[in-house]
Amino acid sequence: MPRKGPKPWKTLAVLLQALRGYVVVIELKNDVAVQGRLESADMGMTCELEDVIVTHLDRSVSRMSSLFINGRNVRYVHIPDDVNVVRLLQQHRATLDRNAKKYSRGIRKGVQRVIRRGTSRSDKAAAAPSSSGATV
């Protein structure tokens, strides 16, 4: 029996994915704060940020054009105050559902094309080893 885990649309990672394009502050486990525009995030909360400002423990600041953060290093994600989280998640869920339908239709069509084409009997006979037992 397959293991039952959280539904993919009911995780905090989906909220992070929905925040794509927003400026977020991410606190890391080493107490460094990173602020930047979220370009991408995956289900493991691995993030890619653009136009980044990094604030270190000693309050020194450095700027970077882009930064990749491994999900296991994320402690907190500060959601901007102007974001309506419920509406954002509903829109993101609708997008995920739309993409899932597109993807599943594409798979079915692709499989049907392969089945229709198939291989002819002459192709199968050519691919089968000869009965004489000779090898080339």
Side-chain angles (χ1 to χ4, degrees), residues 1 10 28 31 33 39 46 86 102 108 123-124:
M1 176 178 236
K10 291 186 177 183
L28 305 179
D31 294 325
E39 286 297 312
T46 299
V86 173
K102 282 182 189 177
R108 262 187 250 126
D123 291 342
K124 289 180 184 176

Side-chain angles (χ1 to χ4, degrees), residues 44-105:
M45 294 185 70
T46 299
C47 307
E48 187 177 351
L49 300 170
E50 296 287 328
D51 303 325
V52 181
I53 300 172
V54 180
T55 306
H56 301 279
L57 279 174
D58 59 356
R59 302 286 184 219
S60 63
V61 176
S62 56
R63 295 182 181 271
M64 300 177 193
S65 61
S66 64
L67 180 67
F68 182 84
I69 301 172
N70 196 331
R72 67 177 176 220
N73 295 325
V74 174
R75 180 180 290 157
Y76 301 114
V77 177
H78 296 267
I79 300 170
D81 291 334
D82 62 333
V83 172
N84 183 346
V85 175
V86 173
R87 195 178 97 240
L88 185 70
L89 285 174
Q90 288 171 345
Q91 290 173 346
H92 188 66
R93 173 76 191 268
T95 303
L96 290 175
D97 290 343
R98 235 183 351 263
N99 289 342
K101 287 178 184 175
K102 282 182 189 177
Y103 182 71
S104 65
R105 274 191 241 134

Side-chain angles (χ1 to χ4, degrees), residues 4-18 42-45 85 88-90 92-94 96-97:
K4 292 185 179 181
K7 304 286 185 203
W9 59 88
K10 291 186 177 183
T11 63
L12 290 175
V14 171
L15 175 60
L16 191 59
Q17 289 175 344
D42 66 6
M43 291 306 287
M45 294 185 70
V85 175
L88 185 70
L89 285 174
Q90 288 171 345
H92 188 66
R93 173 76 191 268
L96 290 175
D97 290 343

